[in-house]
Amino acid sequence: MPTLYVVATPIGNLSDMTQRAIDTLKNVALIAAEDTRVTKKLLSVFSIDTPTTSCHQHNEDAKGTWLAERMLSEGIDVAITTDAGTPCISDPGYGLVKACVERGIEVIPVPGCCASVSALSVSGFDTREFAFYGFLPREKKALREKLLSMARGVEVAAVHESPYRVIELVEMIADTLPDTRISCSCDLTKLHEKTIRGTAGEVLSMLRANPKAEKGEYCLILDFHGVKLPEEPSRAAEVSLEAQLVEQLLQGLDLRDAQSELVLQGQKKNAVKQAALRLKRLLTEDEE
C-alpha cells in the first residue's frame, strides 16, 4: 500500500529542515509541491533530485484525486510540501490528503515548522487552548463581525496577515475590541524576526512607527481574556423593524416598497428583509 507523507518545510531558516524531512523527500517517488519553483530551490540545497508536480489551491481537488489514483495504480509513495511551513495549515494540501484518506492510503505527518504554533509559543499568553483562523476577511464589515464572533467563542486566536494589511487589521481590532492583547510576530525564524506585544492600541502605535512594517509575513496571536464585548442587538430592535414595516403598510405602501423605504432611511438591507419575512409569515398565519 502506498503512503502519502505530509512534510513540513522551513518558514525562513534552512537550519530548521529536519533530517527526517530530507530523507523522506529523497526516498519518495514524487513530491506534490505548492509551487515547484520554490520547492526545487529547497531541494537543490539538500541535493534532492526527486521529481515534482504542482498541487496548489487552484488545482488541489482535481490534482489530489489524480495523484491518489496514480499512487494506487503505480504503488508509489508521494510527499506533499508547501512553499513554507506545514501543508494544510492555511496552505494547500487538503485536497490530496482527503483523496488519500478516502481511498485508504496511509497518510503520515513529517512534522516541522508552523508559523502559528511558533508565534503562539512566544506570545506570553495562556495558550493551553486556542483556535486558528488563518487569514481573516478583507471587507471591513465582515472583518468586524468575524472578530466579534471570535471573541465570543474563544479566548486565544491565531491569525495570519499580509504586511500590506496588518495595520488595517490592528486598527479594526483596536476599534472593535480595544481591550484585546496582541502578540504580533513578523518574519519568524528569519534574520530580522521580531515580536511586539501589548494592547491593540499599543501594537498599532508600534506598527505605525515602524517604517518597515510593510515587509515580511505576520502571524498575530489575539488574547481575548477579559475583553469587554459590545452588547448584541436585542430582540426589541428586530420587532421595531417589523413595526416600522407595518407603519409603512398602513400608509398605503406594499411590502416591497415598505422595505425599500426603510433601507433608504438607513436600515440594513438584510435586517429589513428578515423582518419582512417574519411579518409575512405572521400575516399568512393570521389569514389561516
Side-chain angles (χ1 to χ4, degrees):
M1 175 63 72
T3 300
L4 173 68
Y5 294 93
V6 182
V7 181
T9 55
I11 58 177
N13 191 323
L14 289 176
S15 297
D16 291 332
M17 186 74 167
T18 67
Q19 187 61 51
R20 183 181 173 207
I22 295 170
D23 292 341
T24 299
L25 295 178
K26 283 183 176 180
N27 293 328
V28 294
L30 183 66
I31 298 170
E34 178 181 5
D35 186 327
T36 56
R37 295 165 298 180
V38 174
T39 297
K40 283 179 180 178
K41 290 179 182 178
L42 177 69
L43 298 180
S44 67
V45 172
F46 297 101
S47 301
I48 301 170
D49 58 6
T50 305
T52 62
T53 185
S54 65
C55 187
H56 48 72
Q57 63 176 332
H58 303 297
N59 76 349
E60 67 170 322
D61 288 337
K63 193 66 174 283
T65 299
W66 179 81
L67 281 169
E69 291 293 344
R70 181 180 171 185
M71 291 171 69
L72 287 173
S73 64
E74 299 181 16
I76 60 172
D77 294 340
V78 171
I80 183 167
T81 64
T82 54
D83 293 348
T86 302
C88 302
I89 309 301
S90 199
D91 269 326
Y94 163 75
L96 177 53
V97 172
K98 178 174 179 287
C100 288
V101 169
E102 290 174 345
R103 289 161 177 77
I105 297 172
E106 188 171 15
V107 181
I108 294 178
V110 180
C113 293
C114 178
S116 56
V117 172
S118 299
L120 283 158
S121 71
V122 299
S123 67
F125 302 151
D126 183 351
T127 57
R128 287 174 290 182
E129 293 185 8
F130 66 89
F132 175 68
Y133 289 90
F135 287 91
L136 299 181
R138 296 186 184 185
E139 197 271 326
K140 287 187 176 181
K141 180 181 176 183
L143 175 57
R144 186 184 300 274
E145 291 175 352
K146 185 65 175 180
L147 288 169
L148 290 172
S149 173
M150 290 162 58
R152 291 187 180 105
V154 301
E155 293 189 324
V156 175
V159 303
H160 288 171
E161 190 51 276
S162 155
Y164 304 108
R165 295 190 299 273
V166 68
I167 289 179
E168 291 180 18
L169 171 59
V170 179
E171 284 176 342
M172 181 63 75
I173 298 170
D175 180 63
T176 307
L177 300 162
D179 298 328
T180 304
R181 292 189 301 154
I182 300 176
S183 176
C184 177
S185 295
C186 178
D187 277 342
L188 284 164
T189 79
K190 298 179 183 178
L191 181 62
H192 300 294
E193 74 175 279
K194 186 177 182 63
T195 296
I196 55 177
R197 306 171 183 83
T199 64
E202 291 168 344
V203 170
L204 179 59
S205 295
M206 286 185 272
L207 287 171
R208 285 174 171 168
N210 180 7
K212 297 182 178 180
E214 289 191 354
K215 292 184 178 181
E217 296 298 327
Y218 285 86
C219 187
L220 287 75
I221 309 303
L222 313 181
D223 186 357
F224 299 122
H225 286 96
V227 169
K228 184 178 180 181
L229 294 166
E231 293 184 5
E232 295 190 57
S234 65
R235 177 66 182 170
E238 296 178 359
V239 174
S240 68
L241 280 178
E242 294 167 8
Q244 291 177 58
L245 286 170
V246 170
E247 183 178 346
Q248 297 297 326
L249 293 175
L250 292 174
Q251 291 178 16
L253 297 179
D254 60 25
L255 189 56
R256 182 184 296 274
D257 290 339
Q259 292 179 68
S260 299
E261 180 62 28
L262 291 191
V263 172
L264 287 174
Q265 293 176 12
Q267 299 292 348
K268 294 181 178 179
K269 185 175 181 179
N270 284 340
V272 172
K273 183 178 179 180
Q274 293 303 314
L277 289 173
R278 288 192 297 272
L279 182 59
K280 198 171 184 179
R281 284 197 293 269
L282 287 172
L283 294 174
T284 302
E285 290 172 1
D286 288 343
E287 290 176 357
E288 294 175 353

